Structures are given as C-alpha cells and as structure tokens.
Amino acid sequence: DFYDFWLCEELGFDNENIRKLNLREPLPSNISSLNIIILTKRKINNMNTEIPLFGISDNNFKTFEDRPNLFTKREIRIQILADLELPQKGVIWDIGAGCGSIGIEALKLRPFLDLFCFDKRIGSKALILENSKRLGVKPLNIFEEDINNIIDPINNTFIKIPNRAIIGGCNINT
C-alpha cells in the first residue's frame, strides 16, 4: 500500500513497454525477461476528511519521520484540552509544541484563540504548518527556537501574555 509497482520491459527497444501493475491482481503471464521493476513511494494522505471537533485521531497528525510516535496521543490530548478549560477568546502558548497536536486541536475547538507555538527542534514549524492545514486552522505565530531566546522577563518583552499555556517536550533543567 505504500508503493506503486512499475514494470519496465525492453527499454530502448521497439517492444518497449512500461506499465503500472496492481499487486492485488495476478501478475501478467507475458512479462519479458529483459525487465526492471521500479517501486515509487506513494504519498499517503492520512487526513481524515471528516475530522471531529474534539478527540482527533492520531493518524491525522504528521510527525517527525525519525520519531513517528513522538507526539501527544489522542487520549492524553483529550484530557489536557478538557483540563485547560479553554476560553472563547484569548492567547494560548504551546511550549515544546513538536508537531502541534495539542495547540492546533485547541485552536480547532476555539477558533478565536491566538495560538503561539514554540519548539526548538528544526522542522517543527513545517510540521505544525502542515498539521494546521490538515485541521483547517492557523496559529498566529510559530517559533522554531528555544522559548528562552524569545521572551525576556527581565525587560518585560513578551509576545502576548497567555491565558493558557501548554508545556511539553521540554528539558526540566531549562
């Protein structure tokens, strides 16, 4: 299900034949002995077209390829979002956002919130943007750097003071 199967026969000759095979059907009996098989990876669309308002399936989120299971799972997101008692309007910070699963689901529930996502891992911004697109929401800003480099409590320079904050994926020493 992850690859298209191409049979290329007698390339460069008069009988050249290139065909895409359906592996659920029997292989053709007339395959030339001068052939090459090419597998091309399919782009899988995990997006469920009928995404619920609350309790979004884990399959709807794109994650880091090197750590595909490193995100907050559905059951935990449900509990966190319930405990946050999200206001109708306001500001929410998702610190250590990763792929943005909590913050963007919060934004789906409360579309008038201003969501700020912070994650220092390279590639997190692209993931959050992709997941936001899948869920039909738009964070106000996504920062791909350590939050300590963005806010300065000594000089009182903040983005916007949050009404709610989610803190995850962080090193407890920082």
Side-chain angles (χ1 to χ4, degrees), residues 70 108 133 144 165:
L70 187 64
K108 184 153 179 69
K133 182 178 165 187
E144 197 172 67

Side-chain angles (χ1 to χ4, degrees), residues 62-68 70 98-99 119 121-124 127:
K62 182 175 180 178
T63 61
F64 290 102
E65 288 185 14
D66 64 331
R67 294 181 165 189
L70 187 64
C99 70
D119 199 289
R121 184 168 180 180
I122 302 296
S124 58
L127 279 178

Side-chain angles (χ1 to χ4, degrees), residues 86-91 110 112-114 163:
L86 296 168
Q88 290 289 331
K89 294 180 180 179
V91 176
R110 299 286 196 218
F112 297 109
L113 286 174
D114 290 337
N163 300 90

Side-chain angles (χ1 to χ4, degrees), residues 79-89 110 113 163-164:
Q79 188 62 55
I80 290 169
L81 291 167
D83 289 341
L84 281 171
E85 297 178 3
L86 296 168
Q88 290 289 331
K89 294 180 180 179
R110 299 286 196 218
L113 286 174
N163 300 90
R164 303 290 189 273

Side-chain angles (χ1 to χ4, degrees), residues 54-102:
F54 190 58
I56 297 168
S57 170
D58 292 345
N59 294 334
N60 286 302
F61 293 99
K62 182 175 180 178
T63 61
F64 290 102
E65 288 185 14
D66 64 331
R67 294 181 165 189
N69 292 315
L70 187 64
F71 71 104
T72 306
K73 307 301 184 285
R74 179 180 179 270
E75 293 78 11
I76 305 302
R77 279 194 320 275
I78 289 171
Q79 188 62 55
I80 290 169
L81 291 167
D83 289 341
L84 281 171
E85 297 178 3
L86 296 168
Q88 290 289 331
K89 294 180 180 179
V91 176
I92 185 168
W93 285 6
D94 189 351
I95 303 167
C99 70
S101 61
I102 300 172

